[in-house]
Amino acid sequence: MNFSLTPEQELLRNAMREFAEKELMQKALELDEKGEFPREIVKKICDLGLLGIVIPSEYGGSPMGHLARMISIEEISRACASFGLFLQASPLGLWAILHFGTEEQKKKYIPPVVRGEKIMCMGVTEASGGSDPLSITTRAKTQGNEYVINGGKCFISNASVADICVFIARTGEGPNGLSTFIVEKGTEGFEAGMREKHAGFRAMEVAELRFSNCRIPKANLVGKEGDGLKASLATISEIGRTGCTGVALGVAEAAYETALKFAKERTLYGKPISQLQAVQFMLADMTMEIEAAKWLAYHSAWLLDNGKSGKEIQKEIATAKAYSSEVARNAATKAMQIHGACGTLPEFHIIRYLRDALETIAAGGTSEIMRVIIGREITK
């Protein structure tokens, strides 16, 4: 087994780290405190080709694969997890259109999003829960050459800034009663609701979506009626959960690196606290867990790059997602302990890492849902 990254992947990591440290790290605290969505930075991220990293070149992508995407999200999140979440969430709708949409839809919607000219969101989660798509109540009824949409979505990343929304609605009953649609900003009867005030990812826009007798043409159906469950599960697994894993990795590494630097500089009893065994044990636990999480994450991405579908490797993706998010929480908590009272001050960043880490546990499916998936797969 070869555990080495390719020269191209190493070059990508170095480039992403340089960009993140130059463009994001110094601004992360300010962005977190203001809670503003900085479009100019988002455009720079798109100019690097990061939204098209798993998109074919004929639609404007720069296809390097899922492992390259994992590395990119990891490095961006190490500096500012809000932008890692943007990279996780924005390609969700793109992936659904790429694999289920018509050629006309692909050419119309994918290139401008990849270029950063437009922003996309994907609406699946409702108040009844995001991990149970069969509970979706948003309904699309046929009227002539149109669909009339009524209902709502919640906790949707990019919702209030998106120009294009890909969403799942009910067109029938049961597992085959869900379908995927596209709606554009400005369509009558479609609007973003209140922005959520989340603990973490504060520079990201997360909000509700509302549909009130919203009319869209039948041409906005993605795939066939009844493909909605298939599209949502594939997209959430292959893009959503792998992306969340990359975000969690970046947060964990940031917490560890910050704690290690502090421990080497902070003196107590006449020596750096990094020489105290209690602190060394915490740092040792952090580095062990991060390395284990990294290789679980990289393995799941490598499997996707080698032709496996999200359905075939649900266990591997769920394992990586659950473990990495819990490692991020553990790393941020230990970093807080190492920093002591300083860890509660914003300028030390630890409280930001902890808030972002806690968000990764729920994003893309909670750790309990991941364990449900793992348990189901291993007991078949």
Side-chain angles (χ1 to χ4, degrees):
M1 298 177 69
N2 184 0
F3 288 92
S4 300
L5 299 178
T6 66
E8 291 78 13
Q9 290 164 344
E10 289 286 6
L11 185 63
L12 175 70
R13 180 189 292 283
N14 294 335
M16 290 304 99
R17 178 163 293 204
E18 181 180 352
F19 170 80
E21 291 182 349
K22 179 181 177 182
E23 297 288 343
L24 305 179
M25 196 167 281
Q26 301 304 317
K27 301 174 184 176
L29 181 59
E30 179 185 358
L31 292 171
D32 184 74
E33 290 179 342
K34 289 184 176 180
E36 296 177 352
F37 183 79
R39 284 180 176 269
E40 70 282 359
I41 297 179
V42 166
K43 185 61 169 67
K44 289 181 180 180
I45 287 174
C46 295
D47 288 343
L48 293 173
L50 297 186
L51 284 191
I53 208 163
V54 290
I55 302 296
S57 55
E58 59 261 39
Y59 305 115
S62 48
M64 292 185 66
H66 291 271
L67 181 51
R69 177 173 181 260
M70 181 75 73
I71 292 168
S72 299
I73 294 176
E74 175 190 353
E75 290 299 332
I76 294 295
S77 300
R78 178 177 159 270
C80 184
S82 290
F83 294 102
L85 185 67
F86 176 80
L87 286 173
Q88 178 267 342
S90 296
L92 290 168
L94 294 179
W95 198 247
I97 293 173
L98 178 66
H99 289 277
F100 294 90
T102 64
E103 191 63 24
E104 182 179 355
Q105 289 170 339
K106 295 173 188 178
K107 290 180 178 178
K108 179 179 179 180
Y109 292 109
I110 295 178
V113 174
V114 168
R115 292 193 297 264
E117 297 166 3
K118 294 188 176 181
I119 293 175
M120 182 176 281
C121 70
M122 186 167 184
V124 177
T125 302
E126 298 190 1
S128 56
S131 299
D132 180 16
L134 293 179
S135 68
I136 285 175
T137 59
T138 298
R139 188 165 289 274
K141 292 185 177 180
T142 304
Q143 283 191 10
N145 292 321
E146 296 178 319
Y147 286 100
V148 181
I149 318 296
N150 282 286
K153 304 290 180 180
C154 60
F155 302 129
I156 307 303
S157 301
N158 293 345
S160 49
V161 294
D163 303 289
I164 306 161
C165 174
V166 176
F167 68 97
I168 309 297
R170 185 162 293 287
T171 50
E173 302 305 320
N176 296 321
L178 297 172
S179 302
T180 308
F181 300 92
I182 301 169
V183 63
E184 297 185 37
K185 185 178 183 179
T187 301
E188 187 175 353
F190 170 65
E191 63 177 358
M194 180 185 69
R195 181 185 177 184
E196 304 290 353
K197 295 182 179 180
H198 281 249
F201 301 143
R202 290 186 174 180
M204 271 292 293
E205 296 275 348
V206 179
E208 301 172 335
L209 292 174
R210 298 170 183 163
F211 301 89
S212 180
N213 292 322
C214 173
R215 292 178 176 272
I216 59 174
K218 283 192 171 180
N220 285 28
L221 174 69
V222 179
K224 298 178 294 185
E225 282 197 10
D227 280 348
L229 184 61
K230 191 187 337 182
S232 63
L233 291 179
T235 300
I236 290 169
S237 179
E238 295 171 10
I239 296 297
R241 287 173 184 153
T242 55
C244 286
T245 299
V247 174
L249 277 180
V251 173
E253 289 168 356
Y256 165 69
E257 291 168 7
T258 304
L260 179 61
K261 182 175 183 295
F262 181 86
K264 288 180 176 180
E265 295 173 350
R266 173 80 164 92
T267 57
L268 191 65
Y269 310 122
K271 59 183 178 182
I273 63 171
S274 61
Q275 300 303 306
L276 300 174
Q277 192 175 66
V279 173
Q280 289 179 346
F281 280 4
M282 284 192 282
L283 291 168
D285 285 343
M286 292 162 76
T287 191
M288 284 192 298
E289 291 180 356
I290 289 169
E291 283 301 305
K294 181 179 293 188
W295 291 110
L296 285 171
Y298 287 9
H299 181 234
S300 64
W302 178 85
L303 287 171
L304 288 171
D305 283 338
N306 282 271
K308 296 293 185 181
S309 69
K311 185 176 181 180
E312 293 175 297
I313 58 167
Q314 289 187 72
K315 177 173 72 70
E316 288 80 2
I317 291 173
T319 301
K321 196 277 169 183
Y323 190 68
S324 65
S325 62
E326 291 173 11
V327 165
R329 177 196 59 198
N330 294 345
T333 302
K334 286 184 171 66
M336 179 73 75
Q337 292 174 265
I338 290 170
H339 276 73
C342 291
T344 65
L345 302 176
E347 57 266 31
F348 285 85
H349 298 275
I350 301 303
I351 195 68
R352 174 168 65 89
Y353 299 149
L354 181 57
R355 288 190 278 101
D356 289 341
L358 293 174
E359 293 277 7
T360 68
I361 292 175
T366 64
S367 292
E368 288 69 35
I369 290 295
M370 296 305 102
R371 285 172 169 81
V372 167
I373 293 170
I374 296 165
R376 184 177 63 217
E377 290 295 307
I378 63 178
T379 56
K380 281 183 177 178

